[in-house]
Amino acid sequence: MTGPATIAATPYGPASAPPLVFLRGLPALPHAPRGIDAFTERLSLRGTDGHRVYALGRPDTLGGATTMPEIADIYARTLRRRLGAPVPVLATSTGASIALQLAADHPELVSALVIVSGAGRLGDEGRLLQRRYADQVEAGDRRADAELALATLDFFGAGPMLRAVTPFLTPPEDVPTLVPLVRAEDAFDVVDRAHRITAPTLFHCGDHDAFYPPEVVRATAGRIPDARVVIHRRCAHGEVVLRPAYGASVRAFLHRHR
């Protein structure tokens, strides 16, 4: 690690409402999202009305040999400093990996946990996809984000469109923090420690998730007391938050565990 890291928060909702922390998936922008990323974030936050949401991106400083427990420690310090009391956490994809590590290592900080398109470790295909992504980002390959999006969103038949716009995409931002996060997730595995998670937990996943397949989701949830799993049929990694039942399920779960 290279000195104290900080994490910027993007707030949503009334300041007087009870807090909820949202952890973004890749590319986990450290600043407020723009354009399509802002639209996607809003979709991910369906069901969180009635809360003051603090959306957290990745830390502004990460060392090259960072581990997921070290990253979770940074988020733990942020939650203690800003919020103090245990809070519900909603997290997607790589953010879900951080959230699970956080809830296992610092259970006193998480009052409820919603994991979307995530699990206690990457599946074999997901690990290969993310290694390729990290390699491309390090090499300055402009295809990196398009290929990651393709693996996430090709259920729309979006492949030709994504490839066509690749030359016009800007390179991923803040590579010195993005690559260590992706590398840390490669080695991430809390399945055998998931029993340490004490917060009520809800998983939402797609049955065609290339990164976190249902069998890994079930293996993780099976070690968390009373965890619930919702599997969306004919659904890829990035499609879960688009499903009509998603928002209502999240809302009901958060209301039940206020």
Side-chain angles (χ1 to χ4, degrees):
M1 305 295 293
T2 58
T6 61
I7 301 174
T10 302
Y12 299 90
S16 59
L20 180 146
V21 169
F22 173 65
L23 303 186
R24 299 181 178 118
L26 290 179
L29 296 171
H31 51 70
R34 300 183 293 265
I36 188 64
D37 292 318
F39 175 72
T40 301
E41 184 146 297
R42 287 289 189 176
L43 289 175
S44 299
L45 294 177
R46 287 193 300 133
T48 65
D49 43 298
H51 289 84
R52 174 69 162 181
V53 177
Y54 297 92
L56 305 183
R58 62 182 182 271
D60 64 354
T61 301
L62 287 176
T66 300
T67 67
M68 194 61 81
E70 290 175 323
I71 293 171
D73 285 347
I74 299 172
Y75 285 84
R77 290 196 297 271
T78 299
L79 266 57
R80 286 194 182 97
R81 184 175 67 252
R82 292 184 177 171
L83 301 173
V87 292
V89 175
L90 167 66
T92 64
S93 193
T94 297
S97 299
I98 297 169
L100 286 163
Q101 187 79 58
L102 174 72
D105 293 351
H106 306 276
E108 74 282 1
L109 294 177
V110 182
S111 63
L113 187 59
V114 181
I115 297 297
V116 182
S117 301
R121 64 170 175 264
L122 283 161
D124 292 340
E125 183 180 1
R127 185 166 284 110
L128 292 174
L129 286 166
Q130 290 205 177
R131 285 177 185 173
R132 176 173 171 79
Y133 176 67
D135 290 343
Q136 287 179 312
V137 169
E138 281 190 311
D141 191 333
R142 299 174 72 91
R143 296 172 297 177
D145 279 353
E147 291 198 10
L148 184 70
L150 181 61
T152 302
L153 299 171
D154 203 29
F155 60 89
F156 278 137
M161 178 192 70
L162 288 169
R163 293 187 183 96
V165 302
T166 293
F168 305 100
L169 296 176
T170 57
E173 298 181 48
D174 300 297
V175 171
T177 58
L178 176 57
V179 171
L181 176 58
V182 179
R183 301 292 191 202
E185 192 172 20
D186 190 305
F188 159 74
D189 190 340
V190 294
V191 173
D192 289 341
R193 300 180 66 246
H195 65 279
R196 293 173 55 88
I197 297 173
T198 58
T201 303
L202 171 67
F203 288 83
H204 272 270
C205 73
D207 63 348
H208 286 82
D209 192 319
F211 296 89
Y212 292 97
E215 59 268 23
V216 183
V217 175
R218 291 192 186 98
T220 307
R223 294 174 182 265
I224 302 172
D226 300 319
R228 181 177 170 227
V229 178
V230 177
I231 298 178
H232 299 269
R233 303 300 175 189
R234 297 195 299 183
C235 180
H237 181 79
E239 188 183 3
V240 172
V241 299
L242 302 177
R243 290 301 172 97
Y246 166 78
S249 172
V250 171
R251 184 180 297 107
F253 177 82
L254 294 174
H255 180 77
R256 190 160 58 249
H257 298 290
R258 293 178 79 92

